[in-house]
Every structure is written in C-alpha cells, then in structure tokens.
C-alpha cells in the first residue's frame, strides 16, 4: 500500500470522506460500489468493486465463444477496464483502461455500432474500423459492456453481430444479478 498523507475523521454516522483527488485518480463516482476488507493487522482496505470481474473465467469463456462464432475481437469490460478478451489483440487490450469514448457509448444505454476509427483503450494504441458496444445493465446500473471490434474493412458487422452482442450483454447482466 502507498501512504497518501491524508487523514480524515469519521463523522457521527460512521462516514469517511474519500478526498476528491483520490476519487478522480481512481475514477470513483458518487454511486461507485466500494468493497471493504480488513486484514490480520486490523487495517481497513477500500477497493473498487466490479461485479463484472466477479464473473472471471465465465467472462473469458463468453468472449471466446463470441470470437469463435463471429470471427471478430470480443471484449468484456467493467466500467473502467477490459477484463476479458478473445482474438488477436488479447495481450494489447486485456486489463487496459477503457477509452473515454467507449465509456460514453456505454452511458447511452443502448447497443451502438461505430463505423469510424475508434480506439478501445485510453492509450489509443489500436483503432478499429467497426465497433459494437452493448452496455451490461444490472438493476438499472451500467456495470460494464460487451464490445465487438473489427479491423478488416472487408468484414462488415451487421444485424447478426449486433444481436449477438446485445444478447451477450443481457445474459451477463442476468448472471451478475443472480
């Protein structure tokens, strides 16, 4: 752990304010879920909670199934980073921070097809000619997205890919809710 040098007091209701600088740096918003841990040294640790990460190997298997069926790069992301990838760009995309443009697409709360160059990650390393993004919604909250990406202009994405990504996002949302 890294010390910040910031000390806060607990109020009468047991609340502690996380400083804005830390929230901004860690991309924690007012409704972000936080997991609370204690360790053997009686330290309290706060960690951003990602219900999509809890899917673990299941998310990887689903991304692989999408990739094998549709022959496009398939990604499953939480609100911050890509947590599962299947396809040729796995090493370049896995556990990378999402591009803010992709996060905006998620916030639209609908399945969207982008047919202009767009990067999936914030480092802007690789741009894709076609991207379908479907938000994973659980109890009204956006918890992540299923993303299908193609770099081959000859391989157009159509209604099949659109429906598969939409179905995947809906299914994963139901798995998280149960």
């Amino acid at each position: 752990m890294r010390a910040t040098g910031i000390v806060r007091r607990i109020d009468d209701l047991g609340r502690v304010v996380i400083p804005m600088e830390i929230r901004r740096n860690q991309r924690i918003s007012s409704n972000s879920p936080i997991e609370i841990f204690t360790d053997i040294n009686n330290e309290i640790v706060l960690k951003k909670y990602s219900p999509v990460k809890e899917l673990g190997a299941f998310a990887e298997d689903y991304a692989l199934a999408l990739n094998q069926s549709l022959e496009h790069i398939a990604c499953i992301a939480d609100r911050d980073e890509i947590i599962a990838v299947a396809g040729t760009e796995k090493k370049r995309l896995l556990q990378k921070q999402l591009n803010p443009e992709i996060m905006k697409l998620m916030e639209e709360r609908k399945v969207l097809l982008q047919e202009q160059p767009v990067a999936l990650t914030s480092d802007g390393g690789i741009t894709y000619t076609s991207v379908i993004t479907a938000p994973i919604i659980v109890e009204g909250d956006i918890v992540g997205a299923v993303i299908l990406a193609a770099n081959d202009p000859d391989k157009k994405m159509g209604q099949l890919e659109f429906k598969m990504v939409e179905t995947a996002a809906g299914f994963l949302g139901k798995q998280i809710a149960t």
Side-chain angles (χ1 to χ4, degrees), residues 42-155:
N42 289 327
E43 292 178 324
I44 299 170
V45 178
L46 302 177
K47 181 180 173 187
K48 284 174 59 174
Y49 175 72
S50 170
V52 178
K53 276 187 184 174
E54 296 294 317
L55 293 174
F58 186 77
E60 290 176 27
D61 291 344
Y62 209 113
L64 183 60
L66 284 171
N67 172 257
Q68 289 173 345
S69 298
L70 302 171
E71 299 179 349
H72 295 297
I73 296 164
C75 303
I76 298 173
D78 64 12
R79 290 182 60 89
D80 295 317
E81 67 181 16
I82 298 172
I83 61 148
V85 180
T88 57
E89 304 294 340
K90 183 172 184 169
K91 288 183 181 178
R92 290 177 146 178
L93 296 172
L94 190 61
Q95 295 181 329
K96 297 288 194 269
Q97 187 174 356
L98 282 176
N99 179 350
E101 190 174 336
I102 298 295
M103 291 190 294
K104 284 180 192 171
L105 293 175
M106 288 169 43
E107 295 297 325
E108 299 250 347
R109 295 181 164 268
K110 55 187 171 188
V111 184
L112 295 170
L113 169 62
Q114 291 282 105
E115 289 187 310
Q116 58 192 27
V118 63
L120 300 184
T121 59
S122 62
D123 61 13
I126 306 166
T127 58
Y128 297 91
T129 55
S130 293
V131 175
I132 298 176
T133 308
I136 301 171
I137 300 173
V138 177
E139 297 175 0
D141 294 328
I142 299 168
V143 298
V146 176
I147 304 165
L148 203 61
N151 236 351
D152 185 350
D154 297 331
K155 283 189 172 182

Side-chain angles (χ1 to χ4, degrees), residues 1 10 34-47:
M1 275 189 293
I10 296 175
I34 302 290
E35 203 167 4
I36 303 169
F37 296 92
T38 58
D39 66 10
I40 58 174
N41 298 325
N42 289 327
E43 292 178 324
I44 299 170
V45 178
L46 302 177
K47 181 180 173 187

